[in-house]
Amino acid sequence: MWRLRSGHVSTRLALSREYPHGVPAFAAALADPEFHRVKLDVDGTGRIEVVAFEEREGTGEDDRRVRVVLRQPVPPGQVPAVVERLLSGVLVIERTEEWRLTPQRCDGRARVAVPGTPINAGGTMAVAPTGDGSRLAVDLEITAAIPLLGGGIERAVVTGIRGLTGGEHDRISRWLAAGRAR
């Protein structure tokens, strides 16, 4: 889906995955900074850095707020060639997630920046109950503010994200199955 916004074209990416674990298990995982680092560790090198982690009580009972900022270097070979040409070094993604966690539902916002490039993304995330489990849904708008090349770069980024989600799903599933919590 293409949308025109402020003179720039952006590309929407909507993904969802189901898990056999309930929302309370997901809320506990999202409140753990190590979970965020592990879920993004694409190549298993442990190079994901939790730059900031804040947790505070929300406005209601059983309502917590979490904010996590992560820095993620993208391994060579996983960067689309059209993006590699824009870089002077290693591609680093800075990702900020802000979550409202309750045992019934988790709602979040994500912002992603690629320092040194005009590429960014933002959108929403939600974990909602489905039967005995839960569904994680992510809805992002990816923007590459580069005349003529922006659309191709956005499509390459979307393809890259789709390729990474399978591994991220597996790491989330393993974490939830292990029942880890702080």
Side-chain angles (χ1 to χ4, degrees):
M1 168 189 250
W2 299 97
R3 291 189 189 163
L4 190 60
R5 187 174 66 203
S6 304
H8 296 294
V9 174
S10 62
T11 302
R12 181 171 178 238
L13 173 64
L15 300 167
S16 69
R17 296 278 185 152
E18 291 197 15
Y19 296 86
H21 309 281
V23 174
F26 232 111
L30 290 166
D32 188 330
E34 183 65 6
F35 168 77
H36 293 276
R37 193 192 66 70
V38 167
K39 77 177 178 179
L40 295 180
D41 194 6
V42 176
D43 57 1
T45 62
R47 295 181 303 152
I48 308 302
E49 178 185 358
V50 177
V51 178
F53 186 83
E54 304 162 15
E55 182 179 4
R56 62 182 170 82
E57 294 301 316
T59 55
E61 188 176 324
D62 290 332
D63 176 5
R64 290 180 291 166
R65 305 294 170 123
V66 169
R67 180 177 178 272
V68 62
V69 180
L70 301 132
R71 189 169 292 131
Q72 173 183 10
V74 178
Q78 292 188 356
V79 178
V82 68
V83 175
E84 246 175 17
R85 283 178 251 160
L86 297 173
L87 303 173
S88 59
V90 174
L91 177 72
V92 175
I93 297 170
E94 291 182 358
R95 179 169 166 166
T96 301
E97 295 183 16
E98 296 174 345
W99 287 93
R100 177 179 176 262
L101 310 175
T102 73
Q104 296 78 33
R105 184 177 172 93
C106 302
D107 290 296
R109 296 205 49 80
R111 289 184 315 279
V112 180
V114 182
T117 75
I119 301 169
N120 63 70
T124 59
M125 305 168 292
V127 178
T130 59
D132 291 336
S134 59
R135 175 189 308 257
L136 169 64
V138 177
D139 191 352
L140 295 174
E141 289 283 333
I142 296 109
T143 304
I146 302 169
L148 303 176
L149 298 176
I153 292 171
E154 289 166 9
R155 287 188 296 279
V157 169
V158 166
T159 300
I161 291 171
R162 284 189 188 280
L164 297 175
T165 59
E168 188 171 322
H169 171 72
D170 292 343
R171 288 184 298 282
I172 290 171
S173 294
R174 283 194 302 272
W175 183 282
L176 294 173
R180 298 187 220 181
R182 299 192 281 158

mmCIF file of all heavy atoms in Angstrom, residues 23-67:
data_model
loop_
_atom_site.group_PDB
_atom_site.id
_atom_site.type_symbol
_atom_site.label_atom_id
_atom_site.label_comp_id
_atom_site.label_asym_id
_atom_site.label_seq_id
_atom_site.Cartn_x
_atom_site.Cartn_y
_atom_site.Cartn_z
ATOM 1 N N VAL A 23 -1.547 -13.213 27.028
ATOM 2 C CA VAL A 23 -1.077 -11.834 27.130
ATOM 3 C C VAL A 23 -0.245 -11.617 28.399
ATOM 4 O O VAL A 23 0.783 -10.925 28.339
ATOM 5 C CB VAL A 23 -2.258 -10.842 27.048
ATOM 6 C CG1 VAL A 23 -1.804 -9.408 27.304
ATOM 7 C CG2 VAL A 23 -2.939 -10.952 25.683
ATOM 8 N N PRO A 24 -0.618 -12.191 29.572
ATOM 9 C CA PRO A 24 0.220 -11.960 30.763
ATOM 10 C C PRO A 24 1.678 -12.400 30.573
ATOM 11 O O PRO A 24 2.598 -11.731 31.027
ATOM 12 C CB PRO A 24 -0.468 -12.779 31.865
ATOM 13 C CG PRO A 24 -1.908 -12.823 31.432
ATOM 14 C CD PRO A 24 -1.847 -12.928 29.924
ATOM 15 N N ALA A 25 1.895 -13.523 29.862
ATOM 16 C CA ALA A 25 3.267 -13.980 29.601
ATOM 17 C C ALA A 25 3.993 -12.986 28.696
ATOM 18 O O ALA A 25 5.177 -12.684 28.898
ATOM 19 C CB ALA A 25 3.254 -15.366 28.961
ATOM 20 N N PHE A 26 3.295 -12.466 27.691
ATOM 21 C CA PHE A 26 3.889 -11.482 26.788
ATOM 22 C C PHE A 26 4.201 -10.194 27.548
ATOM 23 O O PHE A 26 5.252 -9.590 27.367
ATOM 24 C CB PHE A 26 2.939 -11.188 25.623
ATOM 25 C CG PHE A 26 3.599 -11.325 24.286
ATOM 26 C CD1 PHE A 26 3.245 -12.348 23.432
ATOM 27 C CD2 PHE A 26 4.575 -10.426 23.876
ATOM 28 C CE1 PHE A 26 3.842 -12.482 22.188
ATOM 29 C CE2 PHE A 26 5.175 -10.551 22.637
ATOM 30 C CZ PHE A 26 4.814 -11.576 21.793
ATOM 31 N N ALA A 27 3.279 -9.755 28.424
ATOM 32 C CA ALA A 27 3.502 -8.538 29.201
ATOM 33 C C ALA A 27 4.742 -8.683 30.084
ATOM 34 O O ALA A 27 5.551 -7.755 30.191
ATOM 35 C CB ALA A 27 2.270 -8.202 30.042
ATOM 36 N N ALA A 28 4.920 -9.851 30.695
ATOM 37 C CA ALA A 28 6.105 -10.091 31.527
ATOM 38 C C ALA A 28 7.379 -10.034 30.680
ATOM 39 O O ALA A 28 8.389 -9.464 31.095
ATOM 40 C CB ALA A 28 5.991 -11.439 32.243
ATOM 41 N N ALA A 29 7.325 -10.610 29.482
ATOM 42 C CA ALA A 29 8.496 -10.585 28.602
ATOM 43 C C ALA A 29 8.820 -9.151 28.184
ATOM 44 O O ALA A 29 9.982 -8.728 28.220
ATOM 45 C CB ALA A 29 8.248 -11.453 27.370
ATOM 46 N N LEU A 30 7.819 -8.384 27.789
ATOM 47 C CA LEU A 30 8.048 -7.005 27.333
ATOM 48 C C LEU A 30 8.581 -6.108 28.447
ATOM 49 O O LEU A 30 9.190 -5.071 28.165
ATOM 50 C CB LEU A 30 6.748 -6.417 26.765
ATOM 51 C CG LEU A 30 6.299 -7.017 25.435
ATOM 52 C CD1 LEU A 30 4.857 -6.629 25.129
ATOM 53 C CD2 LEU A 30 7.236 -6.598 24.312
ATOM 54 N N ALA A 31 8.387 -6.502 29.702
ATOM 55 C CA ALA A 31 8.902 -5.729 30.838
ATOM 56 C C ALA A 31 10.339 -6.111 31.186
ATOM 57 O O ALA A 31 10.891 -5.616 32.168
ATOM 58 C CB ALA A 31 7.993 -5.920 32.058
ATOM 59 N N ASP A 32 10.965 -6.963 30.373
ATOM 60 C CA ASP A 32 12.330 -7.421 30.627
ATOM 61 C C ASP A 32 13.255 -6.907 29.522
ATOM 62 O O ASP A 32 13.085 -7.266 28.352
ATOM 63 C CB ASP A 32 12.338 -8.950 30.650
ATOM 64 C CG ASP A 32 13.666 -9.530 31.098
ATOM 65 O OD1 ASP A 32 14.724 -8.896 30.866
ATOM 66 O OD2 ASP A 32 13.645 -10.630 31.669
ATOM 67 N N PRO A 33 14.238 -6.065 29.863
ATOM 68 C CA PRO A 33 15.123 -5.536 28.814
ATOM 69 C C PRO A 33 15.872 -6.623 28.044
ATOM 70 O O PRO A 33 16.146 -6.471 26.856
ATOM 71 C CB PRO A 33 16.084 -4.619 29.569
ATOM 72 C CG PRO A 33 15.946 -4.962 31.003
ATOM 73 C CD PRO A 33 14.606 -5.583 31.188
ATOM 74 N N GLU A 34 16.173 -7.734 28.692
ATOM 75 C CA GLU A 34 16.894 -8.818 28.020
ATOM 76 C C GLU A 34 16.040 -9.436 26.908
ATOM 77 O O GLU A 34 16.554 -9.846 25.871
ATOM 78 C CB GLU A 34 17.319 -9.880 29.039
ATOM 79 C CG GLU A 34 18.136 -11.002 28.462
ATOM 80 C CD GLU A 34 19.510 -10.578 27.927
ATOM 81 O OE1 GLU A 34 19.927 -9.412 28.086
ATOM 82 O OE2 GLU A 34 20.179 -11.446 27.327
ATOM 83 N N PHE A 35 14.723 -9.501 27.105
ATOM 84 C CA PHE A 35 13.817 -10.016 26.074
ATOM 85 C C PHE A 35 13.959 -9.203 24.790
ATOM 86 O O PHE A 35 14.059 -9.764 23.699
ATOM 87 C CB PHE A 35 12.365 -9.981 26.567
ATOM 88 C CG PHE A 35 11.355 -10.224 25.478
ATOM 89 C CD1 PHE A 35 11.133 -11.505 24.997
ATOM 90 C CD2 PHE A 35 10.625 -9.184 24.932
ATOM 91 C CE1 PHE A 35 10.190 -11.739 23.995
ATOM 92 C CE2 PHE A 35 9.698 -9.399 23.924
ATOM 93 C CZ PHE A 35 9.480 -10.679 23.458
ATOM 94 N N HIS A 36 13.977 -7.891 24.917
ATOM 95 C CA HIS A 36 14.076 -7.027 23.736
ATOM 96 C C HIS A 36 15.398 -7.252 22.996
ATOM 97 O O HIS A 36 15.438 -7.277 21.778
ATOM 98 C CB HIS A 36 13.929 -5.557 24.143
ATOM 99 C CG HIS A 36 12.568 -5.244 24.648
ATOM 100 N ND1 HIS A 36 11.514 -4.947 23.815
ATOM 101 C CD2 HIS A 36 12.071 -5.210 25.914
ATOM 102 C CE1 HIS A 36 10.440 -4.727 24.542
ATOM 103 N NE2 HIS A 36 10.746 -4.880 25.815
ATOM 104 N N ARG A 37 16.478 -7.428 23.755
ATOM 105 C CA ARG A 37 17.782 -7.671 23.141
ATOM 106 C C ARG A 37 17.786 -9.019 22.421
ATOM 107 O O ARG A 37 18.202 -9.115 21.267
ATOM 108 C CB ARG A 37 18.887 -7.629 24.208
ATOM 109 C CG ARG A 37 20.295 -7.566 23.604
ATOM 110 C CD ARG A 37 21.369 -7.827 24.641
ATOM 111 N NE ARG A 37 21.312 -9.189 25.162
ATOM 112 C CZ ARG A 37 21.632 -10.283 24.468
ATOM 113 N NH1 ARG A 37 22.035 -10.188 23.219
ATOM 114 N NH2 ARG A 37 21.553 -11.474 25.015
ATOM 115 N N VAL A 38 17.290 -10.048 23.085
ATOM 116 C CA VAL A 38 17.291 -11.399 22.523
ATOM 117 C C VAL A 38 16.405 -11.490 21.278
ATOM 118 O O VAL A 38 16.782 -12.106 20.284
ATOM 119 C CB VAL A 38 16.856 -12.430 23.594
ATOM 120 C CG1 VAL A 38 16.539 -13.787 22.978
ATOM 121 C CG2 VAL A 38 17.940 -12.562 24.658
ATOM 122 N N LYS A 39 15.227 -10.866 21.298
ATOM 123 C CA LYS A 39 14.308 -11.012 20.158
ATOM 124 C C LYS A 39 14.896 -10.415 18.879
ATOM 125 O O LYS A 39 14.548 -10.835 17.789
ATOM 126 C CB LYS A 39 12.940 -10.411 20.461
ATOM 127 C CG LYS A 39 12.874 -8.914 20.385
ATOM 128 C CD LYS A 39 11.482 -8.384 20.626
ATOM 129 C CE LYS A 39 11.520 -6.873 20.569
ATOM 130 N NZ LYS A 39 10.237 -6.275 20.775
ATOM 131 N N LEU A 40 15.804 -9.445 19.000
ATOM 132 C CA LEU A 40 16.387 -8.812 17.812
ATOM 133 C C LEU A 40 17.743 -9.390 17.407
ATOM 134 O O LEU A 40 18.296 -8.985 16.395
ATOM 135 C CB LEU A 40 16.560 -7.306 18.063
ATOM 136 C CG LEU A 40 15.275 -6.520 18.247
ATOM 137 C CD1 LEU A 40 15.594 -5.059 18.498
ATOM 138 C CD2 LEU A 40 14.354 -6.678 17.060
ATOM 139 N N ASP A 41 18.271 -10.324 18.164
ATOM 140 C CA ASP A 41 19.618 -10.853 17.915
ATOM 141 C C ASP A 41 19.603 -11.797 16.710
ATOM 142 O O ASP A 41 19.693 -13.015 16.834
ATOM 143 C CB ASP A 41 20.148 -11.547 19.159
ATOM 144 C CG ASP A 41 21.638 -11.812 19.091
ATOM 145 O OD1 ASP A 41 22.296 -11.365 18.125
ATOM 146 O OD2 ASP A 41 22.153 -12.475 20.008
ATOM 147 N N VAL A 42 19.496 -11.205 15.533
ATOM 148 C CA VAL A 42 19.315 -11.923 14.268
ATOM 149 C C VAL A 42 20.387 -12.975 14.030
ATOM 150 O O VAL A 42 20.102 -14.106 13.673
ATOM 151 C CB VAL A 42 19.319 -10.919 13.094
ATOM 152 C CG1 VAL A 42 19.231 -11.628 11.764
ATOM 153 C CG2 VAL A 42 18.203 -9.919 13.253
ATOM 154 N N ASP A 43 21.632 -12.593 14.212
ATOM 155 C CA ASP A 43 22.722 -13.500 13.852
ATOM 156 C C ASP A 43 23.343 -14.206 15.058
ATOM 157 O O ASP A 43 24.345 -14.901 14.926
ATOM 158 C CB ASP A 43 23.800 -12.762 13.053
ATOM 159 C CG ASP A 43 24.367 -11.557 13.791
ATOM 160 O OD1 ASP A 43 23.943 -11.301 14.942
ATOM 161 O OD2 ASP A 43 25.232 -10.872 13.220
ATOM 162 N N GLY A 44 22.756 -14.029 16.242
ATOM 163 C CA GLY A 44 23.240 -14.719 17.431
ATOM 164 C C GLY A 44 24.558 -14.205 17.968
ATOM 165 O O GLY A 44 25.184 -14.858 18.798
ATOM 166 N N THR A 45 24.996 -13.027 17.542
ATOM 167 C CA THR A 45 26.290 -12.502 17.991
ATOM 168 C C THR A 45 26.197 -11.712 19.287
ATOM 169 O O THR A 45 27.218 -11.381 19.882
ATOM 170 C CB THR A 45 26.902 -11.581 16.922
ATOM 171 O OG1 THR A 45 26.028 -10.470 16.710
ATOM 172 C CG2 THR A 45 27.144 -12.331 15.623
ATOM 173 N N GLY A 46 24.973 -11.369 19.699
ATOM 174 C CA GLY A 46 24.823 -10.596 20.931
ATOM 175 C C GLY A 46 25.205 -9.141 20.786
ATOM 176 O O GLY A 46 25.470 -8.469 21.779
ATOM 177 N N ARG A 47 25.245 -8.626 19.541
ATOM 178 C CA ARG A 47 25.663 -7.239 19.332
ATOM 179 C C ARG A 47 24.537 -6.224 19.531
ATOM 180 O O ARG A 47 24.748 -5.038 19.373
ATOM 181 C CB ARG A 47 26.262 -7.068 17.931
ATOM 182 C CG ARG A 47 27.543 -7.867 17.753
ATOM 183 C CD ARG A 47 28.140 -7.680 16.384
ATOM 184 N NE ARG A 47 27.156 -8.046 15.363
ATOM 185 C CZ ARG A 47 27.127 -7.529 14.146
ATOM 186 N NH1 ARG A 47 27.999 -6.632 13.783
ATOM 187 N NH2 ARG A 47 26.232 -7.920 13.266
ATOM 188 N N ILE A 48 23.348 -6.688 19.886
ATOM 189 C CA ILE A 48 22.227 -5.786 20.135
ATOM 190 C C ILE A 48 22.479 -5.114 21.479
ATOM 191 O O ILE A 48 22.737 -5.775 22.479
ATOM 192 C CB ILE A 48 20.880 -6.546 20.185
ATOM 193 C CG1 ILE A 48 20.697 -7.425 18.963
ATOM 194 C CG2 ILE A 48 19.727 -5.580 20.390
ATOM 195 C CD1 ILE A 48 20.742 -6.721 17.650
ATOM 196 N N GLU A 49 22.350 -3.790 21.499
ATOM 197 C CA GLU A 49 22.620 -3.032 22.716
ATOM 198 C C GLU A 49 21.334 -2.377 23.207
ATOM 199 O O GLU A 49 20.640 -1.703 22.449
ATOM 200 C CB GLU A 49 23.665 -1.951 22.407
ATOM 201 C CG GLU A 49 24.000 -1.069 23.558
ATOM 202 C CD GLU A 49 24.948 0.062 23.158
ATOM 203 O OE1 GLU A 49 25.377 0.126 21.982
ATOM 204 O OE2 GLU A 49 25.236 0.882 24.023
ATOM 205 N N VAL A 50 21.006 -2.609 24.486
ATOM 206 C CA VAL A 50 19.899 -1.891 25.115
ATOM 207 C C VAL A 50 20.477 -0.571 25.594
ATOM 208 O O VAL A 50 21.231 -0.524 26.559
ATOM 209 C CB VAL A 50 19.275 -2.697 26.276
ATOM 210 C CG1 VAL A 50 18.176 -1.883 26.966
ATOM 211 C CG2 VAL A 50 18.727 -4.025 25.782
ATOM 212 N N VAL A 51 20.167 0.508 24.885
ATOM 213 C CA VAL A 51 20.709 1.833 25.184
ATOM 214 C C VAL A 51 19.994 2.452 26.379
ATOM 215 O O VAL A 51 20.620 3.129 27.201
ATOM 216 C CB VAL A 51 20.582 2.753 23.944
ATOM 217 C CG1 VAL A 51 21.079 4.151 24.238
ATOM 218 C CG2 VAL A 51 21.333 2.152 22.765
ATOM 219 N N ALA A 52 18.680 2.226 26.487
ATOM 220 C CA ALA A 52 17.903 2.758 27.604
ATOM 221 C C ALA A 52 16.732 1.832 27.876
ATOM 222 O O ALA A 52 16.179 1.230 26.950
ATOM 223 C CB ALA A 52 17.393 4.165 27.278
ATOM 224 N N PHE A 53 16.366 1.713 29.155
ATOM 225 C CA PHE A 53 15.192 0.945 29.543
ATOM 226 C C PHE A 53 14.558 1.635 30.735
ATOM 227 O O PHE A 53 15.229 1.887 31.734
ATOM 228 C CB PHE A 53 15.554 -0.505 29.904
ATOM 229 C CG PHE A 53 14.344 -1.350 30.175
ATOM 230 C CD1 PHE A 53 13.645 -1.937 29.136
ATOM 231 C CD2 PHE A 53 13.884 -1.527 31.466
ATOM 232 C CE1 PHE A 53 12.515 -2.697 29.370
ATOM 233 C CE2 PHE A 53 12.749 -2.283 31.716
ATOM 234 C CZ PHE A 53 12.061 -2.874 30.670
ATOM 235 N N GLU A 54 13.283 1.951 30.601
ATOM 236 C CA GLU A 54 12.547 2.600 31.684
ATOM 237 C C GLU A 54 11.251 1.841 31.901
ATOM 238 O O GLU A 54 10.576 1.473 30.950
ATOM 239 C CB GLU A 54 12.213 4.049 31.320
ATOM 240 C CG GLU A 54 13.408 4.892 30.954
ATOM 241 C CD GLU A 54 13.003 6.153 30.202
ATOM 242 O OE1 GLU A 54 11.809 6.528 30.205
ATOM 243 O OE2 GLU A 54 13.900 6.761 29.598
ATOM 244 N N GLU A 55 10.919 1.636 33.162
ATOM 245 C CA GLU A 55 9.649 1.010 33.506
ATOM 246 C C GLU A 55 9.022 1.828 34.621
ATOM 247 O O GLU A 55 9.700 2.243 35.554
ATOM 248 C CB GLU A 55 9.870 -0.434 33.965
ATOM 249 C CG GLU A 55 8.597 -1.163 34.290
ATOM 250 C CD GLU A 55 8.824 -2.598 34.720
ATOM 251 O OE1 GLU A 55 9.971 -3.024 34.851
ATOM 252 O OE2 GLU A 55 7.816 -3.297 34.937
ATOM 253 N N ARG A 56 7.713 2.070 34.500
ATOM 254 C CA ARG A 56 7.013 2.815 35.544
ATOM 255 C C ARG A 56 5.572 2.328 35.631
ATOM 256 O O ARG A 56 5.061 1.704 34.698
ATOM 257 C CB ARG A 56 7.072 4.311 35.299
ATOM 258 C CG ARG A 56 6.432 4.774 34.040
ATOM 259 C CD ARG A 56 6.590 6.292 33.842
ATOM 260 N NE ARG A 56 6.187 6.700 32.528
ATOM 261 C CZ ARG A 56 4.928 6.929 32.137
ATOM 262 N NH1 ARG A 56 3.947 6.787 32.991
ATOM 263 N NH2 ARG A 56 4.656 7.304 30.905
ATOM 264 N N GLU A 57 4.956 2.617 36.754
ATOM 265 C CA GLU A 57 3.554 2.268 36.936
ATOM 266 C C GLU A 57 2.703 3.147 36.041
ATOM 267 O O GLU A 57 2.997 4.319 35.843
ATOM 268 C CB GLU A 57 3.133 2.441 38.402
ATOM 269 C CG GLU A 57 3.825 1.477 39.351
ATOM 270 C CD GLU A 57 3.570 0.016 39.000
ATOM 271 O OE1 GLU A 57 2.421 -0.355 38.695
ATOM 272 O OE2 GLU A 57 4.542 -0.761 39.024
ATOM 273 N N GLY A 58 1.634 2.581 35.508
ATOM 274 C CA GLY A 58 0.703 3.336 34.678
ATOM 275 C C GLY A 58 -0.373 3.991 35.512
ATOM 276 O O GLY A 58 -0.237 4.116 36.737
ATOM 277 N N THR A 59 -1.442 4.344 34.886
ATOM 278 C CA THR A 59 -2.517 5.058 35.570
ATOM 279 C C THR A 59 -3.521 4.137 36.247
ATOM 280 O O THR A 59 -4.256 4.568 37.121
ATOM 281 C CB THR A 59 -3.263 5.970 34.572
ATOM 282 O OG1 THR A 59 -3.715 5.165 33.482
ATOM 283 C CG2 THR A 59 -2.347 7.067 34.058
ATOM 284 N N GLY A 60 -3.579 2.883 35.853
ATOM 285 C CA GLY A 60 -4.548 1.955 36.440
ATOM 286 C C GLY A 60 -3.872 0.806 37.153
ATOM 287 O O GLY A 60 -2.652 0.658 37.131
ATOM 288 N N GLU A 61 -4.700 -0.025 37.795
ATOM 289 C CA GLU A 61 -4.178 -1.213 38.464
ATOM 290 C C GLU A 61 -3.660 -2.192 37.410
ATOM 291 O O GLU A 61 -4.258 -2.344 36.343
ATOM 292 C CB GLU A 61 -5.304 -1.859 39.269
ATOM 293 C CG GLU A 61 -4.832 -2.984 40.149
ATOM 294 C CD GLU A 61 -5.954 -3.544 41.010
ATOM 295 O OE1 GLU A 61 -6.810 -2.754 41.452
ATOM 296 O OE2 GLU A 61 -5.950 -4.753 41.217
ATOM 297 N N ASP A 62 -2.565 -2.854 37.672
ATOM 298 C CA ASP A 62 -1.950 -3.803 36.734
ATOM 299 C C ASP A 62 -1.594 -3.148 35.400
ATOM 300 O O ASP A 62 -1.643 -3.780 34.352
ATOM 301 C CB ASP A 62 -2.868 -5.001 36.468
ATOM 302 C CG ASP A 62 -2.995 -5.909 37.674
ATOM 303 O OD1 ASP A 62 -2.045 -5.946 38.475
ATOM 304 O OD2 ASP A 62 -4.044 -6.555 37.807
ATOM 305 N N ASP A 63 -1.269 -1.883 35.423
ATOM 306 C CA ASP A 63 -0.939 -1.114 34.220
ATOM 307 C C ASP A 63 0.501 -0.617 34.378
ATOM 308 O O ASP A 63 0.803 0.131 35.296
ATOM 309 C CB ASP A 63 -1.921 0.063 34.097
ATOM 310 C CG ASP A 63 -1.617 0.993 32.931
ATOM 311 O OD1 ASP A 63 -0.707 0.710 32.134
ATOM 312 O OD2 ASP A 63 -2.303 2.017 32.821
ATOM 313 N N ARG A 64 1.382 -1.086 33.498
ATOM 314 C CA ARG A 64 2.788 -0.653 33.523
ATOM 315 C C ARG A 64 3.145 -0.032 32.201
ATOM 316 O O ARG A 64 2.597 -0.389 31.159
ATOM 317 C CB ARG A 64 3.713 -1.842 33.792
ATOM 318 C CG ARG A 64 3.605 -2.373 35.195
ATOM 319 C CD ARG A 64 4.536 -3.531 35.405
ATOM 320 N NE ARG A 64 4.030 -4.661 34.600
ATOM 321 C CZ ARG A 64 4.721 -5.737 34.329
ATOM 322 N NH1 ARG A 64 5.956 -5.868 34.743
ATOM 323 N NH2 ARG A 64 4.219 -6.719 33.613
ATOM 324 N N ARG A 65 4.093 0.876 32.241
ATOM 325 C CA ARG A 65 4.606 1.517 31.035
ATOM 326 C C ARG A 65 6.076 1.132 30.905
ATOM 327 O O ARG A 65 6.820 1.163 31.885
ATOM 328 C CB ARG A 65 4.491 3.040 31.112
ATOM 329 C CG ARG A 65 3.094 3.549 31.389
ATOM 330 C CD ARG A 65 2.176 3.239 30.222
ATOM 331 N NE ARG A 65 0.791 3.516 30.552
ATOM 332 C CZ ARG A 65 0.026 4.341 29.879
ATOM 333 N NH1 ARG A 65 0.497 4.974 28.832
ATOM 334 N NH2 ARG A 65 -1.221 4.514 30.232
ATOM 335 N N VAL A 66 6.466 0.786 29.697
ATOM 336 C CA VAL A 66 7.849 0.403 29.414
ATOM 337 C C VAL A 66 8.321 1.182 28.196
ATOM 338 O O VAL A 66 7.578 1.332 27.221
ATOM 339 C CB VAL A 66 7.955 -1.123 29.133
ATOM 340 C CG1 VAL A 66 9.308 -1.487 28.580
ATOM 341 C CG2 VAL A 66 7.673 -1.912 30.394
ATOM 342 N N ARG A 67 9.545 1.663 28.273
ATOM 343 C CA ARG A 67 10.193 2.319 27.125
ATOM 344 C C ARG A 67 11.575 1.702 26.989
ATOM 345 O O ARG A 67 12.339 1.655 27.953
ATOM 346 C CB ARG A 67 10.312 3.820 27.351
ATOM 347 C CG ARG A 67 10.977 4.542 26.194
ATOM 348 C CD ARG A 67 10.997 6.063 26.458
ATOM 349 N NE ARG A 67 11.672 6.751 25.401
ATOM 350 C CZ ARG A 67 12.985 6.983 25.360
ATOM 351 N NH1 ARG A 67 13.767 6.584 26.349
ATOM 352 N NH2 ARG A 67 13.518 7.614 24.340
#
